Amino acid sequence: MKIFAIGINYALHNKELHGTLDKTEEPVIFTKADSALLKDHKPFFIPDFMGRIDYETELVVRICKLGKCIPQRFAYRYYDAVTVGIDFTARELQKKLREAGRPWEICKGFDGSAVIGEWVDVAKFRSIQAIHFHLDINGRTVQEGCSSDMLYKVDEIIAYISQFFTLKTGDLLYTGTPAGVGPVHIDDHLEGYLEDKKVLEFNCK
């Protein structure tokens, strides 16, 4: 199983972190180790030695068949379910790595940094590009987004990634986060929603 993630895929989040609304020339892709996956409501243990850890709420897509060099017009055939996920990011470390021109894997791909909720059949939605999602922490909504605001749409991303990597059943695609990211703390209770359906729930320790 491979975990792919898209960086800076919502304009307002780009402005939030980088002060710009510009779209990159091509999708920004990074990967997470399989040990980053955290599911089944298991707690997230905050690695305090890494500094500030931010939540980034994202729509996650599940790949359902083998594919390579997939044309964009056929990309919809290669995923079958979606959920809400959290791309945990060691923000201070990310800034340090970015300034040094180094890769993001340590600040993005550490153990437990890829949380996923319960899967929902994509057929239950009118369009994968019209799904609202949000995150509550301790009962308060802290981040909201809609997949219609993605700079690079899901089918575009799949077509792009499949030029370089063979996609396999069970691979995961984190599609980017909207504005509103922030730090987590010990004893925080996180709940993620697709539309009005809760699909994600876990605690930080």
Side-chain angles (χ1 to χ4, degrees):
M1 181 204 69
K2 300 183 291 299
I3 303 173
F4 298 101
I6 311 303
I8 52 179
N9 199 30
Y10 285 79
L12 291 179
H13 174 60
N14 299 355
K15 186 174 183 180
E16 179 179 56
L17 290 187
H18 310 296
T20 178
L21 294 171
D22 292 344
K23 182 178 180 179
T24 56
E25 293 184 5
E26 53 193 20
V28 175
I29 310 296
F30 60 95
T31 60
K32 289 174 174 272
D34 57 3
S35 61
L37 191 64
L38 185 66
K39 57 183 181 177
D40 301 328
H41 310 293
K42 293 179 180 176
F44 172 65
F45 290 92
I46 298 174
D48 53 7
F49 70 95
M50 295 180 71
R52 170 174 161 168
I53 304 297
D54 278 6
Y55 59 82
E56 296 189 5
T57 313
E58 310 198 6
L59 188 72
V60 184
V61 175
R62 183 176 70 188
I63 301 299
C64 65
K65 62 189 293 187
L66 185 73
K68 173 71 174 175
C69 293
I70 301 165
Q72 184 176 326
R73 67 184 183 279
F74 297 135
Y76 71 93
R77 300 177 179 177
Y78 289 83
Y79 52 88
D80 63 351
V82 295
T83 191
V84 169
I86 305 294
D87 166 23
F88 277 123
T89 303
R91 188 68 68 202
E92 295 159 339
L93 182 55
Q94 183 188 39
K95 182 176 184 293
K96 180 179 178 181
L97 292 170
R98 183 185 290 117
E99 289 173 350
R102 296 178 181 174
W104 288 3
E105 274 75 9
I106 292 176
C107 68
K108 285 281 194 178
F110 57 90
D111 288 355
S113 64
V115 190
I116 56 167
E118 300 164 9
W119 294 107
V120 178
D121 191 327
V122 72
K124 293 186 179 295
F125 301 97
R126 175 174 60 85
S127 167
I128 197 166
Q129 298 302 157
I131 301 175
H132 291 85
F133 57 96
H134 71 271
L135 175 71
D136 290 358
I137 297 183
N138 304 326
R140 182 176 65 89
T141 298
V142 296
Q143 193 175 18
E144 298 178 88
C146 182
S147 56
S148 62
D149 294 329
M150 291 179 184
L151 298 175
Y152 289 98
K153 308 306 184 186
V154 172
D155 291 358
E156 291 180 82
I157 295 166
I158 287 174
Y160 180 79
I161 289 177
S162 69
Q163 296 177 81
F164 308 99
F165 300 93
T166 298
L167 298 180
K168 296 183 178 182
T169 300
D171 286 350
L172 305 180
L173 173 61
Y174 283 67
T175 56
T177 191
V181 302
V184 289
H185 307 92
I186 291 174
D187 294 330
D188 278 349
H189 181 65
L190 280 69
E191 298 170 292
Y193 292 80
L194 284 180
E195 301 295 346
D196 59 354
K197 179 179 175 62
K198 182 162 67 174
V199 295
L200 177 71
E201 184 172 12
F202 67 100
N203 294 312
C204 292
K205 295 187 175 181

